[in-house]
Amino acid sequence: MLKTHTCGQLRTEHTGQRVTLAGWVNRRREHGGLIFIDLRDRWGITQVVVDANASPKSHAVMGDVRSEYVLQVEGVVKAREPENINPKVATGEIEIHVDKVTILNPAKTPPLEISGEHEVNEEVRMRYRYLDLRRPRMQRNMMMRYEALRFIRNYLGDRGFVEIETPILFKSTPEGARDYLVPSRVHPGKFYALPQSPQQLKQLLMVAGYERYFQVARCFRDEDQRGDRQPEFTQLDIEMSFVEREDILQLLEELVTGMVETVSDKRLARKPFPRLSCAEAQERFGTDRPDLRFGLELKDVSDIAGRSQFKVFTTTIEAGNKVRALVAPGCAAYSRKEIGELEEIVKNAGAKGLAVIAVEADGTARSSIAKFFEDDLMAELITATGAQPGDLILIVADQLQIVNEALSTLRGEFGTRLKLTNPEEMCFCWIIDFPLFVWNAEENRWDPSHHMFTSPKPEDIHLLDTDPGAAYCQQYDLVCNGYEVAGGSIRIHDRIIQEKIFSLIGLDIEQARERFGHILEAFEYGAPPHGGIAPGIDRLVMLMAGEPNIREVIAFPKSQRAADLMADAPSTVESYQLEELHIKLADNIEQ
RNA sequence: GCAGACGUGGUGUAACGGCUAACAUACCGGACUGUCAAUCCGGAGAUCGCAGGUUCGAGUCCUGCCGUCUGCGCCA
């Protein structure tokens, strides 16, 4: 080793020892005959002192040293005088008096400051990701990510799980997200697909008798980016045999609780995790991934609104749609401009408009729609929403789905505006009891509400023939602070039911057998009842690290347009490579 | 695919359509033996993302393109 200790290791108890350190120059402070260097490695920062009198040679070498030079220094650990102690650094009570300095490698001035406080443009960070990763924020995030994975592997290993790798080159399947395709050289005109998740493979591992499987699995989806979505991301894929929903929920809840408490400094807001049915979540929060760090629940005022003289409300109710409300506490004094902003939000969500009622100090209403309400009815409305004097009532009337979408977005907005989203808290909840299907009006067929391997509730299986829309499934999602962080289900292990689901979602038997023949066949060779769940590692680590974007917890992420700005991928390839793959580019594409 | 924001020395920002494009920091040189965001003195560094256009005059206004970000569509 080129070092005897790390830069975060030495304390006063090492005083007098001769040590060798190696690392990067974090900062340099020169005082003529005396030079201080903060030497940095992964473990910390240690102050190195070079004295021109004590060691003229090393002083001369150190004179040429600049930021981010890679150094090896040899010297003696000395306790600092009390007035020189730096309490901000773990090693601040000692320093190394150096008599030998070796420049292992010089460094150009970096395009972004490693030790500085400056915010740096995202483009520069990605272009020089290896330098960005040197910075404390990214070092901390990468360490936390590894600690999380270590916790997970130990936890599951201790409970009899086995980690099994599944192929990256696999098969394209219909439905779901767009696949990343890999052309086959050996099979002209045929393609592998990168897995969107190891879903089928983990179920086949259950058929194969492994009973408790997990994998830290890379998944690929060729869809456009969001703050919490990258084209490749990491799932903790878990599958178990002979389990019921409760077994999976308990396992994962324990795992997540332990992981957060071990590797993160965030506080778990609620233990055990509350459970909400999908319907209840929609009713109370307008979404199936609510941020439960704060209240601001939605209230249905359809009945009251229907008795008003306000045409917009009455026609909405007559059409069988809904009028629902959100109360923004203390916002009665909102200006026209601020209300315009809120209006913009609901319109983006598809709503036609936003009705607002300000509750005055005396409890009366100030609103452009007040004239359509008898005083008693208005009082009833205010009571129903639970609004207090000084509050602002926000009302949207539309189809239930649009109302919920609009109000849940508004709710999120007020969570932020009113500082109700404590960044030090993680508030997990389970969402359960999802419908098995959602109706796809465009294609005139049922779509699986999650995926096509999710088992219906046993008591609802008979509905598949009569009323598929009424059937519920054994799906469960784990939600934290408004993010879906895990999803799973008890699976179908019966060929007949699986084929029935395929047909209900519009796959004809031929297609189903071509695409899923292997799994249908496997179900006939003794498939055990099984189920699982797949937490998104990137999202969980993002939340534990308090970061706003999963890029911050991925070492080499892609840009919004799915490019690697450092390596400049994707890139063109040599024409012989295309020939080998039997690929001809379209005429309008330049090679 | 759509919408919005942004793009100015290495980095982060500023500049009413008008003077030599300013400030901070980093960088380079000099001084300095107890600093820890060292300090002090001096210096260099910008084809204002690219291409057009409007104008007596464009970093600034307009159009197109490129890139980054945020959101929508998309994401079983």
Side-chain angles (χ1 to χ4, degrees), chain A residues 137 140-141 144 264-266 423 540-549:
Chain A
R137 173 188 188 179
R140 182 191 74 111
N141 290 353
M144 183 181 287
S264 168
D265 53 8
K266 303 288 182 224
L540 279 170
V541 177
M542 171 186 85
L543 290 165
M544 289 195 294
E547 291 287 3
N549 195 300

Side-chain angles (χ1 to χ4, degrees), chain A residues 428-445:
Chain A
F428 286 91
C429 63
W430 288 107
I431 308 294
I432 56 177
D433 296 337
F434 288 86
L436 180 60
F437 293 115
V438 291
W439 180 249
N440 183 335
E442 280 167 36
E443 308 278 342
N444 207 37
R445 60 151 201 250

Side-chain angles (χ1 to χ4, degrees), chain A residues 43-258:
Chain A
W43 291 271
I45 288 178
T46 299
Q47 175 163 284
V48 166
V49 188
V50 197
D51 187 322
N53 292 334
S55 177
K57 218 176 177 179
S58 42
H59 183 269
V61 176
M62 210 58 115
D64 294 332
V65 163
R66 294 294 182 269
S67 284
E68 301 306 316
Y69 272 41
V70 186
L71 295 189
Q72 181 187 43
V73 299
E74 276 182 61
V76 176
V77 181
K78 291 205 173 156
R80 299 196 200 178
E81 299 297 324
E83 67 271 23
N84 290 335
I85 286 173
N86 182 357
K88 286 186 239 167
V89 183
T91 60
E93 294 189 13
I94 56 99
E95 61 196 11
I96 316 299
H97 287 246
V98 159
D99 52 50
K100 188 176 176 204
V101 178
T102 310
I103 297 176
L104 297 173
N105 216 342
K108 298 209 298 193
T109 303
L112 51 89
E113 264 184 86
I114 312 296
S115 62
E117 311 288 309
H118 272 317
E119 282 294 307
V120 182
N121 186 308
E122 207 69 19
E123 214 168 330
V124 176
R125 294 181 64 198
M126 294 306 156
R127 166 80 180 76
Y128 297 96
R129 188 59 160 177
Y130 47 88
L131 296 179
D132 190 40
L133 286 166
R134 258 187 217 170
R135 304 199 308 162
R137 173 188 188 179
M138 292 305 295
Q139 294 249 327
R140 182 191 74 111
N141 290 353
M142 289 300 110
M143 305 303 164
M144 183 181 287
R145 186 179 177 119
Y146 173 63
E147 288 304 321
L149 287 175
R150 206 156 68 100
F151 182 92
I152 286 164
R153 286 199 162 96
N154 289 338
Y155 180 94
L156 293 174
D158 290 347
R159 282 159 184 77
F161 283 78
V162 54
E163 184 168 12
I164 299 174
E165 294 163 89
T166 55
I168 294 296
L169 295 175
F170 199 54
K171 182 169 175 168
S172 181
T173 52
E175 310 285 323
R178 194 177 295 115
D179 283 321
Y180 275 101
L181 297 177
V182 179
S184 165
R185 172 181 58 84
V186 183
H187 302 276
K190 293 187 177 177
F191 296 82
Y192 302 96
L194 307 184
Q196 296 182 24
S197 86
Q199 182 61 36
Q200 298 174 51
L201 293 154
K202 71 173 169 179
Q203 291 191 245
L204 292 168
L205 286 169
M206 293 304 104
V207 178
Y210 287 89
E211 296 200 27
R212 291 170 177 231
Y213 142 93
F214 82 99
Q215 179 180 196
V216 178
R218 193 63 63 83
C219 306
F220 306 86
R221 295 178 190 176
D222 187 2
E223 299 292 351
D224 288 325
Q225 319 292 288
R226 291 291 183 277
D228 59 353
R229 265 167 40 193
Q230 282 271 313
E232 53 180 304
F233 61 99
T234 305
Q235 273 186 357
L236 170 59
D237 202 43
I238 297 176
E239 197 76 4
M240 299 172 79
S241 297
F242 308 110
V243 286
E244 295 168 307
R245 181 179 78 185
E246 195 58 31
D247 301 300
I248 305 275
L249 298 194
Q250 277 184 18
L251 174 89
L252 202 76
E253 184 158 336
E254 249 184 69
L255 187 159
V256 167
T257 300

Side-chain angles (χ1 to χ4, degrees), chain A residues 248-306:
Chain A
I248 305 275
L249 298 194
Q250 277 184 18
L251 174 89
L252 202 76
E253 184 158 336
E254 249 184 69
L255 187 159
V256 167
T257 300
M259 177 178 71
V260 170
E261 290 176 345
T262 305
V263 313
S264 168
D265 53 8
K266 303 288 182 224
R267 198 178 71 82
L268 284 170
R270 296 184 67 177
K271 283 195 295 186
F273 302 164
R275 295 183 186 184
L276 283 73
S277 72
C278 177
E280 184 185 356
Q282 291 287 356
E283 175 67 23
R284 291 172 57 193
F285 304 101
T287 172
D288 58 9
R289 45 182 180 86
D291 188 341
L292 290 193
R293 285 176 297 177
F294 60 99
L296 302 190
E297 298 192 12
L298 313 188
K299 297 282 191 273
D300 199 298
V301 294
S302 299
D303 170 49
I304 299 168

